[in-house]
Amino acid sequence: MSTPEHIVIVSFETTPDNQDEALEKIGAYVDSFLSRQPGFIASKLHRGLDGTTLVHYARWRSEADFQAAGEKARVHPDLPALRAFKPAGRGYAVWASYPTR
């Protein structure tokens, strides 16, 4: 039996004035670092329509892969700048998928 994917959803606080900056910084971090970690499958970065939030949705092969990437991230030089947007994340497992009808 295969291990289910590990899903991580992180929300970030922004303002209409700094949302574009947050998108650039978080997007660059995901592209240059996170997406290159073993076990990373794919992710999407979502812009809140009112300018006050961003959501990053990431799929990982396993929770262990995500945890290993997290250990490396703790010393990443971009981390202090990303923390300014008050990231709040949680891990999830897919319970069900619903096809387009």
Side-chain angles (χ1 to χ4, degrees):
M1 184 168 155
S2 68
T3 305
E5 289 181 2
H6 184 67
I7 307 299
V8 178
I9 300 174
V10 180
S11 61
F12 297 87
E13 294 180 16
T14 63
T15 66
D17 293 333
N18 74 7
Q19 191 182 58
D20 287 340
E21 174 191 0
L23 286 163
E24 290 296 323
K25 287 182 177 180
I26 296 164
Y29 170 80
V30 171
D31 185 47
S32 67
F33 171 72
L34 204 61
S35 66
R36 299 168 194 269
Q37 299 307 303
F40 179 90
I41 297 171
S43 72
K44 293 182 180 182
L45 183 58
H46 303 268
R47 169 195 295 259
L49 298 178
D50 66 358
T52 64
T53 59
L54 302 177
V55 173
H56 181 243
Y57 174 96
R59 295 171 48 214
W60 291 85
R61 184 177 53 207
S62 69
E63 184 176 2
D65 287 330
F66 170 71
Q67 294 295 335
E71 286 300 316
K72 292 179 192 174
R74 292 187 206 297
V75 296
H76 194 280
D78 292 347
L79 195 58
L82 301 181
R83 284 189 175 143
F85 302 109
K86 300 179 182 170
R90 292 184 186 249
Y92 298 86
V94 175
W95 181 72
S97 296
Y98 304 93
T100 304
R101 296 177 196 245

